[in-house]
Amino acid sequence: THLYIYTTALPIPSEAIVDVEMDFDYYGKTFLEDGIEVVTLARAIDGDTAHFYTQDGTYIKVRFLGIDTPESTMEKEAWGKAAASFTAEILNNAETIVIEAEGNTQDTYGRYLAFVWADGVLVNLEVVRNAYSNAKLSSKSKYYDAFYETEVEAMMTGRHVWGEIDPNYDYEKEEFK
């Protein structure tokens, strides 16, 4: 099953949908040792960051690979709250969340870097598909083509970060309404 959530009347045409599938086994794996693990959501922070509990109860902070959504916490940016709500809705409603590492496992803030799968859907890619972030992946990533094809399609819609005015953001005060 696939989860596609569109928040405006301008969805990406179905023929443009680029999809990826989980091509790995996560049973019995741990993120810190194997780079893959089923986790439990502790807290969705913003559009590209969430905290999880691993199978052994370890609390980890995860920064989503391949995306950089507008800020919604300390710094406030247009579309930041919408991106945070979008990601939180997916994660809060998921029955199974799997995190997958690729390359360096931590950023300079100590957060683990990962692709986040919710019920078999790559959340990072859904954020790009729904125009809450551009794609930010190395050409060496196995998901590079899917991210950039999806980014082009999202850009063409002119939605959210690609051109729409955020109705919940006061551009003069640079804060949320």
Side-chain angles (χ1 to χ4, degrees):
T1 62
H2 297 287
L3 174 67
Y4 298 110
I5 300 173
Y6 297 105
T7 58
T8 71
L10 298 170
I12 296 170
S14 60
E15 65 272 8
I17 298 297
V18 176
D19 220 352
V20 295
E21 294 183 7
M22 294 173 80
D23 63 353
F24 52 85
D25 179 20
Y26 53 83
Y27 294 102
K29 308 272 183 176
T30 65
F31 185 74
L32 299 179
E33 290 181 25
D34 305 307
I36 298 168
E37 185 169 355
V38 174
V39 293
T40 303
L41 179 67
R43 183 172 171 225
I45 303 300
D46 62 17
D48 57 22
T49 307
H51 299 174
F52 300 98
Y53 291 106
T54 63
Q55 294 296 306
D56 70 2
T58 302
Y59 185 83
I60 61 170
K61 299 175 182 182
V62 173
R63 173 73 165 73
F64 295 24
L65 281 168
I67 61 175
D68 186 14
T69 60
E71 298 301 322
S72 66
T73 54
M74 300 296 282
E75 186 180 333
K76 311 281 193 268
E77 296 174 333
W79 295 110
K81 277 178 92 172
S85 294
F86 177 81
T87 298
E89 183 175 342
I90 293 172
L91 295 175
N92 283 318
N93 290 306
E95 289 183 28
T96 303
I97 299 172
V98 176
I99 56 175
E100 173 191 11
E102 183 177 76
N104 295 334
T105 57
Q106 284 185 291
D107 67 9
T108 56
Y109 301 104
R111 298 175 297 189
Y112 290 96
L113 304 172
F115 292 107
V116 179
W117 296 84
D119 297 330
V121 174
L122 184 52
V123 177
N124 315 46
L125 187 61
E126 290 304 302
V127 171
V128 173
R129 185 184 323 279
N130 285 275
Y132 290 115
S133 177
N134 60 332
K136 294 188 171 254
L137 269 183
S138 160
S139 61
K140 295 176 183 173
S141 172
K142 70 180 184 177
Y143 301 121
Y144 177 83
D145 289 340
F147 269 72
Y148 283 97
E149 288 174 32
T150 300
E151 177 184 54
V152 169
E153 296 297 334
M155 226 185 305
M156 290 172 38
T157 69
R159 297 175 17 218
H160 302 142
V161 300
W162 297 114
E164 283 184 312
I165 300 294
D166 183 345
N168 299 310
Y169 187 77
D170 186 335
Y171 288 83
E172 288 182 21
K173 294 182 180 177
E174 297 185 349
E175 64 184 28
F176 297 112
K177 294 179 182 176

